[in-house]
Amino acid sequence: MSEHDFSSLPEATLSESDGVRYLHLGSIWVQGAMRIRKPQVVELEYVQRMLASLLWLPSEAVGQGRALQLGLGAAAITRFTHKALRMPTTVVELNPQVVAVCRNWFHLPAEADVVVADAGRWLREQAEPQSVQLLHVDLYDHEAAAPVLDDEDFYAGCRAVLEDGGLMSVNLFGRDASFERSIARIAAVFGADQVWSLRPTKEGNTVVVAGRHVEMPARNVLNERAATIEARFGAYGLPARKWLRMLRPYAGPQPAREA
């Protein structure tokens, strides 16, 4: 597909149920959601967990620097980084229909810098090295079978755009074998001691957090930060103290399961 050939991209559609508006891409798979009467709330559990990277930041540093988002979804993370954290936010999204739907139906902040482009190409050709504090990666096509960009070159581009102390959160969705391959690639690029994951959601989403020269704080510090996140962003529905119970460091490749 050329950079400006969008004819083969799936149609962005909407559905609504029990006060929640959902984004779809030509299938039943949910690509994002927003509670209509409380658009600030981060509705989907895996999207909440993508914000667990805040735990690695000193409380006084939360909201500093720039945010980058690869894959717009229903703009929940964009609304949070731009409105709650007040961080200058750039979003790279391949499908212009998704951008239009988010502007009309999902409260996409008008001030957010939205680039319609292939995320991998944008990282290679336009991203400024070491310019981003928080990077959120959620790149799935309409079939939601595996990440669209998931090789070591891509993750190297993600690491390169992070400043020292910067953090990447990635949504990984698919079979266990796919997850193990993906997290191993992330660890190969970032270093095994710079990679953590949260327990899978009941839908099967596993969030991986990777850092560029970050340190895991002591448990008491993490507890304090989690409490601060919940108090500061209570209206956004972030269960930060629950995240602590599901965090685990990367333990290396797992042995294959017997048939």
Side-chain angles (χ1 to χ4, degrees):
M1 184 190 303
S2 69
E3 187 172 359
H4 301 290
D5 178 15
F6 304 115
S7 60
S8 63
L9 294 174
E11 180 183 5
T13 58
L14 304 175
S15 66
E16 293 183 5
S17 177
D18 296 328
V20 178
R21 180 174 294 148
Y22 297 96
L23 171 69
H24 309 272
L25 290 178
S27 75
I28 63 171
W29 292 104
V30 170
Q31 301 286 339
M34 181 188 74
R35 187 158 294 277
I36 297 169
R37 292 188 178 275
K38 294 183 178 181
Q40 78 278 10
V41 171
V42 183
E43 181 67 24
L44 297 181
E45 189 173 23
Y46 90 85
V47 181
Q48 295 173 4
R49 294 183 190 185
M50 289 188 72
L51 297 168
S53 54
L54 296 174
L55 292 169
W56 278 260
L57 298 176
S59 295
E60 64 273 14
V62 171
Q64 296 181 6
R66 299 187 60 85
L68 173 63
Q69 185 179 339
L70 305 182
L72 177 58
I77 289 178
T78 321
R79 293 192 299 273
F80 184 82
T81 58
H82 184 81
K83 291 182 175 293
L85 297 181
R86 301 187 182 279
M87 298 176 76
T89 299
T90 297
V91 183
V92 183
E93 168 57 50
L94 180 63
N95 193 332
Q97 291 186 53
V98 172
V99 178
V101 166
C102 283
R103 291 204 187 281
N104 291 327
W105 297 99
F106 289 98
H107 295 242
L108 175 63
E111 304 84 359
D113 176 26
V114 180
V115 181
V116 177
D118 174 86
R121 180 178 299 165
W122 186 87
L123 277 178
R124 292 192 304 271
E125 299 178 359
Q126 299 185 47
E128 182 181 346
Q130 299 188 46
S131 62
V132 171
Q133 174 71 282
L134 292 178
L135 168 60
H136 300 97
V137 181
D138 192 5
L139 296 170
Y140 282 81
D141 62 16
H142 60 290
E143 296 179 348
V148 174
L149 296 172
D150 187 43
D151 57 26
E152 289 187 20
D153 286 345
F154 170 68
Y155 292 123
C158 290
R159 186 180 186 277
V161 80
L162 291 177
E163 60 188 43
D164 278 349
L167 294 143
M168 172 183 76
S169 295
V170 184
N171 171 39
L172 296 177
F173 179 77
R175 294 182 299 274
D176 288 347
S178 173
F179 168 76
E180 295 296 348
R181 287 196 302 269
S182 297
I183 195 171
R185 291 165 182 157
I186 295 169
V189 170
F190 281 80
D193 65 337
Q194 292 286 295
V195 178
W196 300 263
S197 64
L198 285 80
R199 281 200 308 264
T201 65
K202 60 182 180 294
E203 295 82 12
N205 300 81
T206 302
V207 170
V208 172
V209 177
R212 179 173 179 137
H213 301 151
V214 301
E215 294 183 7
M216 171 64 84
R219 191 73 184 185
N220 65 312
V221 175
L222 284 172
N223 286 327
E224 292 172 1
R225 291 180 183 178
T228 299
I229 290 168
E230 290 189 1
R232 181 176 174 185
F233 304 114
Y236 292 83
L238 302 183
R241 282 176 281 199
K242 287 178 62 176
W243 297 338
L244 295 181
R245 298 197 294 269
M246 58 184 71
L247 263 179
R248 58 188 181 189
Y250 177 61
Q254 301 302 300
R257 297 174 178 171
E258 294 184 5

